[in-house]
């Protein structure tokens, strides 16, 4: 109720670009969800480092030496 229709349209469009654009980290992470689930569930106990390496391999993740990937894994 605080956002006018035009503003809401701009926000929606921007959000969809971030979520759907090729090469964006969020899209890549979503595409990797199956691999992460497989590592955590089907392959038995995974080490924290294995999961961090997999998440850190997301396209567009950047060069953070796994720091941001570790934060994502901790949040999960």
């Amino acid at each position: 109720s605080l956002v006018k229709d035009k503003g809401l349209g701009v926000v929606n469009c921007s959000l969809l670009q971030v979520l759907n654009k090729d090469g964006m980290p969020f899209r890549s992470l979503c595409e990797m969800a199956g691999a992460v689930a497989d590592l955590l569930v089907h392959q038995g106990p995974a080490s924290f480092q294995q999961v961090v390496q997999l998440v850190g391999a997301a396209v567009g993740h950047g060069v953070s030496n796994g720091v941001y990937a570790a934060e994502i894994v901790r949040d999960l």
Side-chain angles (χ1 to χ4, degrees), residues 24-42:
M24 295 300 285
F26 189 82
R27 180 184 176 117
S28 182
L29 285 170
C30 289
E31 290 170 347
M32 295 175 70
V36 173
D38 185 55
L39 180 64
L40 293 173
V41 177
H42 298 294

Side-chain angles (χ1 to χ4, degrees), residues 14-74:
S14 299
L15 182 60
L16 287 174
Q17 285 179 343
V18 169
L19 296 179
N20 293 323
K21 185 176 178 184
D22 287 333
M24 295 300 285
F26 189 82
R27 180 184 176 117
S28 182
L29 285 170
C30 289
E31 290 170 347
M32 295 175 70
V36 173
D38 185 55
L39 180 64
L40 293 173
V41 177
H42 298 294
Q43 294 182 18
S47 73
F48 179 77
Q49 187 61 33
Q50 286 175 302
V51 181
V52 168
Q53 286 175 344
L54 183 59
V55 171
V59 174
H61 185 269
V63 287
S64 66
N65 296 326
V67 173
Y68 299 128
E71 291 301 319
I72 291 169
V73 172
R74 282 188 192 100

